[in-house]
Amino acid sequence: QVQLVESGGGLVQPGGSLRLSCAASGFDFSVYMMKWYRQAPGKERELVASISSTGFTTNYADSVKGRFTISRDNAKNRVFLQMNSLKPEDTAVYYCNTNWGGRDRWGQGTQVTVSS
């Protein structure tokens, strides 16, 4: 079955960096768009970044443009989110996502906390 497993979250000081990873299995990863979402306490889940199946096209939320970079390795069935210049407002649970079989599929999420 479709599985998405995120890793790489943690506690980081403002201005720091983290690299999130999502390992995908159970579907033909190389033909699917992949996305990263996040959800902060008390807020709705929001789209952070997306990447086309080939990796040639990426899109970002305005709040992370210039700081975050989404990438993928189709040979290893992984998608990444490099997060630089982190701010306290980036604190959230980050989720990997794809739409497979007409349904959104989610990982379990990884917590990112930006605090001094």
Side-chain angles (χ1 to χ4, degrees), residues 29 32-38 46-62 64-65 68-72 79-82 94-99 104:
F29 178 81
Y32 284 86
M33 173 180 284
M34 297 298 298
K35 300 178 180 179
W36 284 98
Y37 283 78
R38 68 184 180 187
E46 64 170 345
L47 178 62
V48 175
S50 64
I51 187 166
S52 64
S53 58
T54 60
F56 291 156
T57 301
T58 58
N59 287 286
Y60 299 92
D62 287 344
V64 307
K65 275 181 185 175
F68 289 13
T69 302
I70 189 171
S71 61
R72 66 190 294 160
V79 60
F80 306 98
L81 187 68
Q82 177 67 44
Y94 284 71
Y95 297 92
C96 182
N97 165 275
T98 193
N99 189 280
D104 275 326

Side-chain angles (χ1 to χ4, degrees), residues 9-53:
L11 173 63
V12 63
Q13 292 187 342
S17 298
L18 281 175
R19 187 187 192 217
L20 305 184
S21 179
C22 171
S25 61
F27 64 106
D28 191 355
F29 178 81
S30 65
V31 302
Y32 284 86
M33 173 180 284
M34 297 298 298
K35 300 178 180 179
W36 284 98
Y37 283 78
R38 68 184 180 187
Q39 188 166 21
K43 294 190 176 181
E44 293 189 358
R45 195 169 294 191
E46 64 170 345
L47 178 62
V48 175
S50 64
I51 187 166
S52 64
S53 58

